[in-house]
């Protein structure tokens, strides 16, 4: 008797991003708004984190509502219909609960029927992870086109009397569609974690987000640049090939420090550096795709640009990859 | 390395990180109150000082380094 032979399959060798979308609430919270509630000031916030204003979801706008809007826009901006997509991944760490997940209902509401759907939690490092998973699903033949969404609703997780943290976080969603390509458009993922530093970012006993600002800043400004550089190496490129740096919008000072370090190692002075945090705040897994969508819409990034994405955050987790701008 | 040499190197680091004129960086000056160096810039100064002098300056120790002189003595003692 012969043993049954299992079949495994493969897909196209190359993948690329096809388009972006994003969604943010209409509530704009300025630094002056916050300084009326806690002991802080516009000048202090701008200097320490670089944020001028942040966007919060409307009262009745859920995390999934934002994911649906961002995802639908990304599908449309890719020139596709929802039925062209078969898989939906939502990177998030701020769902109200673990059940139900965000991805299945998001897929259904966009019109991606019976999608393969799952959530992914690598906190602020989630988007590059999710893009990589999507790319490997397509290359492995398990998916044809994947909608990758980062979505966060921090409002309920913020202690609005905690002046160290309430100034930083915000709500929003950003998305990208990934599909097969003739030429490679998504580089390998450089990722890792530092679970021994788990206590640096977490929740208080009352369930509010906190981070040890100084320690996180030290970690992010020393440990993240080598990860970014590794992603460039894995993609077979040099830092001087990078046209655009889109780092997680954690803090403008961290982003600027990262850009400075990469330039000292060979990145170009004219490399465009995403600074979306200035008007969006820190939206964790959503910050990279929101920045991508805003920059594409504003003409700051163009089709064919070589872009370095870098995520880092709670866990601690980190991830980076090079992608080509659709 | 003498305290004077440490101060010279530290001046260069503080100037580079925080844009403070080297002549203003003297031992009695407070980083925060006199030189307007904020807590995040202090971290960057600490990271560069660790590389330059081969010392460890953990965040809890960093909070105790109020003046330039505090930093010089800490480096001299711990390197």
């Amino acid at each position: 008797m012969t043993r049954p032979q299992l079949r495994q399959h493969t897909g196209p060798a190359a993948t690329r991003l096809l388009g972006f979308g994003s969604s943010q609430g209409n509530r704009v919270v300025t630094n002056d708004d916050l300084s009326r509630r806690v002991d802080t000031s516009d000048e202090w916030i701008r200097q320490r984190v670089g944020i001028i204003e942040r966007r919060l979801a409307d009262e009745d706008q859920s995390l999934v509502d934002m994911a649906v809007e961002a995802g639908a826009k990304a599908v449309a901006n890719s020139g596709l219909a929802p039925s062209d997509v078969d898989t939906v991944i939502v990177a998030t760490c701020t769902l109200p609960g673990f059940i139900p997940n965000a991805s299945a209902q998001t897929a259904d509401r966009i019109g991606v029927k019976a999608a393969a759907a799952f959530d992914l939690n690598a906190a602020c490092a989630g988007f590059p992870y999710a893009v990589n998973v999507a790319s490997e699903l397509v290359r492995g033949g398990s998916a044809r086109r994947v909608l990758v969404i980062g979505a966060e609703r921090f409002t309920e997780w913020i202690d609005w009397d905690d002046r160290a943290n309430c100034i930083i976080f915000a709500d929003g969603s950003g998305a990208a569609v990934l599909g097969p390509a003739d030429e490679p458009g998504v580089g390998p993922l450089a990722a890792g974690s530092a679970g021994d530093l788990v206590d640096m970012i977490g929740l208080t006993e009352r369930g509010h987000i906190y981070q040890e600002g100084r320690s996180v800043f030290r970690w992010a400004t020393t440990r993240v640049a080598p990860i970014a550089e590794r992603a460039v190496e894995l993609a077979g490129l040099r830092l001087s090939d990078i046209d655009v740096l889109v780092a997680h919008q954690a803090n403008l000072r961290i982003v600027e420090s990262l850009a400075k370090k990469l330039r000292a190692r060979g990145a170009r002075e004219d490399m465009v550096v995403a600074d979306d945090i200035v008007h969006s705040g820190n939206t964790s897994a959503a910050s990279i795709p929101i920045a991508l969508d805003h920059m594409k819409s504003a003409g700051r990034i163009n089709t064919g640009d070589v872009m370095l994405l870098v995520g880092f955050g709670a866990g601690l987790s980190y991830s980076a990859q090079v992608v080509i701008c659709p | 390395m003498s305290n004077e040499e440490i101060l010279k190197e530290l001046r260069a680091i503080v100037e580079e990180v925080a844009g403070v004129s080297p002549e203003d960086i003297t031992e009695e000056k407070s980083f925060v109150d006199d030189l307007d160096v904020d807590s995040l810039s202090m971290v960057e100064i600490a990271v560069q000082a660790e590389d330059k002098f081969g010392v460890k300056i953990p965040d809890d120790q960093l909070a105790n380094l109020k003046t330039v002189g505090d930093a010089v003595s800490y480096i001299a003692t711990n390197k």
Side-chain angles (χ1 to χ4, degrees), chain B:
Chain B
M1 192 181 266
S2 71
N3 280 17
E4 243 170 53
E5 288 167 315
I6 292 172
L7 178 61
K8 185 172 168 241
E9 298 287 357
L10 191 60
R11 272 198 183 115
I13 293 172
V14 175
E15 182 191 15
E16 202 265 319
V17 170
V20 181
S21 304
E23 61 267 26
D24 290 339
I25 304 168
T26 48
E27 298 218 24
E28 76 285 1
K29 292 283 176 65
S30 153
F31 285 109
V32 175
D33 298 330
D34 299 325
L35 303 180
D36 207 18
V37 174
D38 69 24
S39 61
L40 298 185
S41 292
M42 281 302 290
V43 172
E44 293 185 288
I45 289 166
V47 167
Q48 290 202 24
E50 288 184 349
D51 287 347
K52 178 64 100 185
F53 302 108
V55 288
K56 281 270 165 241
I57 313 177
D59 290 325
D60 52 345
Q61 292 291 334
L62 186 56
N64 298 327
L65 307 181
K66 306 286 186 207
T67 65
V68 175
D70 292 343
V72 171
S73 342
Y74 179 89
I75 292 164
T77 312
N78 291 279
K79 77 181 170 63

Side-chain angles (χ1 to χ4, degrees), chain A residues 92-263:
Chain A
T92 183
C93 60
T94 51
L95 275 177
F98 286 110
I99 301 174
N101 68 11
S103 53
Q105 51 187 318
T106 299
D108 184 71
R109 284 175 53 188
I110 291 171
V112 184
K113 297 301 175 191
F118 59 95
D119 293 1
L120 182 153
N121 183 352
C124 307
F127 190 73
Y129 265 103
V131 167
N132 184 64
V133 170
S135 181
E136 295 306 309
L137 285 172
V138 172
R139 279 154 44 88
S142 299
R144 179 71 182 160
R145 291 193 193 85
V146 185
L147 175 55
V148 182
I149 303 172
E152 307 284 7
R153 194 178 197 279
F154 267 103
T155 303
E156 278 72 33
W157 301 91
I158 295 168
D159 175 354
W160 291 99
D161 293 320
D162 171 5
R163 68 175 184 155
N165 291 297
C166 77
I167 61 170
I168 296 171
F169 297 100
D171 306 330
S173 177
V177 178
L178 181 142
D182 296 329
E183 289 180 8
V186 177
L189 188 72
S193 60
D196 53 323
L197 303 178
V198 62
D199 293 337
M200 271 192 206
I201 307 172
L203 296 180
T204 64
E205 285 177 6
R206 299 181 63 186
H208 294 123
I209 179 95
Y210 77 88
Q211 57 179 343
E212 292 171 15
R214 222 185 292 228
S215 304
V216 170
F217 183 80
R218 183 192 287 245
W219 176 78
T221 53
T222 53
R223 303 290 175 217
V224 174
I227 308 305
E229 204 170 346
R230 175 84 181 129
V232 175
E233 285 168 15
L234 288 173
L237 301 177
R238 294 160 184 259
L239 277 169
S240 56
D241 295 318
I242 302 302
D243 300 312
V244 184
L245 171 65
V246 186
H248 164 52
Q249 302 288 293
N251 176 326
L252 195 60
R253 297 267 294 268
I254 292 174
V255 171
E256 286 171 348
S257 165
L258 177 61
K260 186 176 167 187
K261 287 196 164 61
L262 295 178
R263 283 178 173 134

Side-chain angles (χ1 to χ4, degrees), chain A residues 245-326:
Chain A
L245 171 65
V246 186
H248 164 52
Q249 302 288 293
N251 176 326
L252 195 60
R253 297 267 294 268
I254 292 174
V255 171
E256 286 171 348
S257 165
L258 177 61
K260 186 176 167 187
K261 287 196 164 61
L262 295 178
R263 283 178 173 134
R265 302 276 296 165
R268 303 195 314 264
E269 284 303 315
D270 69 351
M271 175 177 70
V272 173
V273 179
D275 57 359
D276 195 64
I277 187 171
V278 174
H279 295 287
S280 294
N282 175 343
T283 56
S284 189
S287 84
I288 292 173
I290 290 175
L292 288 169
D293 185 52
H294 287 172
M295 293 169 84
K296 186 79 200 294
S297 302
R300 285 188 68 197
I301 57 175
N302 299 295
T303 303
D305 281 354
V306 181
M307 309 194 293
L308 174 57
L309 313 184
V310 188
F312 49 92
L316 301 176
S317 308
Y318 48 84
S319 58
Q321 77 208 145
V322 177
V323 298
I324 302 297
C325 185

